[in-house]
Amino acid sequence: YNPDNSSCSFIKSSKFCSMLRNYILVALRNILKKKSFSLLNIGGLTIGITCATLIFLWVEDELTFNHYFKHRDNLYQVMTNQTYDSETFTFLSTPGLLGPSLQKEMPGISQTARTTWIQRNPIAKGEKSLAADGMMVDSSFFSMMGFEFMHGNAAKPFEQLYSIVLNERMAKKMFNSTDIIGETVKMNNDREYIVSAVYKTFPANTRFENMDWFTNFDIFFKNNEWLLQWGN
């Protein structure tokens, strides 16, 4: 018998290792003895852990959706209720004059931004052409959503009417670089747009993750006079 503490710890540790070894050997013997039963138990446990993990990841993704937008608690999408034959339908579309009027007439609203629907257009630079999703938006859209600009002026993203804002992913695909302010691309095989800004690509669990470009809503407003009609 050695009263030294280190010796006592060593003896206890040896007993524990021996006990653990015996448990493992017994478990292995039982598994080999009842292979089918053991396979069902191990398979069921594996499937259960996998399902629980996938459910946890899905719930986490849902609960953090759009958390990238720092102003998310104060952001609201305006929708309209329209009644036809005594039945009410809800639409995303609103009159073209509604946004500016809300900001002007309602004290609780500090900013508004209008957008078009999502459009998929070809964007070309020289012989390179890519189909990309985007929208026309008011310039206030970027500050409201808290875009992280890598290059360009976040306060004035559309210095010219035919300006285009690209995300980091699209810029690298088209130019192999993000420092491309002043470069031009051709949109929809029609008109050339000047790259005015490049922003960081949104995370996967955000609403605008697939948006590659944004252009000036004033172009849409200019080319569609029906936007001036409240009933449209």
Side-chain angles (χ1 to χ4, degrees):
Y1 172 72
N2 187 344
D4 182 75
N5 288 337
S6 61
S7 298
C8 291
S9 298
F10 175 76
I11 292 171
K12 292 176 183 177
S13 177
S14 298
K15 289 182 178 180
F16 173 77
C17 291
S18 177
M19 188 183 303
L20 181 63
R21 179 174 175 275
N22 290 334
Y23 282 143
I24 293 173
L25 288 174
V26 171
L28 289 174
R29 290 194 190 104
N30 288 332
I31 290 173
L32 294 174
K33 187 177 180 181
K34 302 177 181 180
K35 294 181 180 179
S36 298
F37 181 76
S38 300
L39 184 63
L40 286 174
N41 278 337
I42 294 172
L45 179 62
T46 302
I47 292 172
I49 292 174
T50 302
C51 290
T53 302
L54 291 175
I55 291 172
F56 171 78
L57 292 174
W58 177 78
V59 171
E60 182 185 36
D61 183 76
E62 290 295 305
L63 292 177
T64 58
F65 183 73
N66 276 344
H67 276 209
Y68 177 83
F69 303 121
K70 58 185 178 181
H71 305 305
R72 63 184 181 277
D73 291 335
N74 294 320
L75 290 173
Y76 297 86
Q77 180 169 10
V78 180
M79 305 172 76
T80 56
N81 287 334
Q82 301 179 29
T83 303
Y84 302 97
D85 297 328
S86 302
E87 188 173 357
T88 301
F89 302 89
T90 302
F91 296 94
L92 293 174
S93 300
T94 58
L97 298 174
L98 181 62
S101 297
L102 286 176
Q103 186 171 345
K104 182 179 178 180
E105 298 176 16
M106 299 189 68
I109 297 176
S110 60
Q111 279 185 305
T112 61
R114 297 165 298 179
T115 74
T116 62
W117 48 86
I118 298 173
Q119 306 171 46
R120 171 162 287 188
N121 292 331
I123 296 179
K125 179 63 178 178
E127 297 182 355
K128 183 181 291 185
S129 179
L130 297 172
D133 293 332
M135 295 189 301
M136 295 180 174
V137 300
D138 282 324
S139 58
S140 55
F141 181 79
F142 300 101
S143 60
M144 290 174 64
M145 296 298 168
F147 278 58
E148 292 186 50
F149 276 50
M150 303 176 66
H151 303 282
N153 187 350
K156 294 181 179 180
F158 300 131
E159 292 189 359
Q160 300 185 42
L161 181 62
Y162 289 96
S163 298
I164 187 169
V165 175
L166 300 177
N167 68 6
E168 178 184 6
R169 176 179 57 210
M170 190 65 182
K172 289 181 177 179
K173 285 181 180 179
M174 296 297 298
F175 297 93
N176 296 320
S177 173
T178 59
D179 189 8
I180 55 172
I181 304 304
E183 294 282 353
T184 59
V185 295
K186 182 172 284 188
M187 171 78 75
N188 208 23
N189 298 318
D190 181 23
R191 179 182 287 274
E192 288 196 342
Y193 287 72
I194 298 176
V195 179
S196 57
V198 176
Y199 67 93
K200 286 187 178 180
T201 303
F202 288 132
N205 62 337
T206 54
R207 180 173 177 182
F208 304 109
E209 61 171 304
N210 294 322
M211 297 294 99
D212 289 315
W213 57 268
F214 293 94
T215 55
N216 198 337
F217 188 86
D218 288 345
I219 300 171
F220 183 69
F221 202 82
K222 176 184 177 183
N223 295 330
N224 296 278
E225 292 184 358
W226 53 265
L227 286 166
L228 296 171
Q229 303 172 19
W230 276 102
N232 200 325

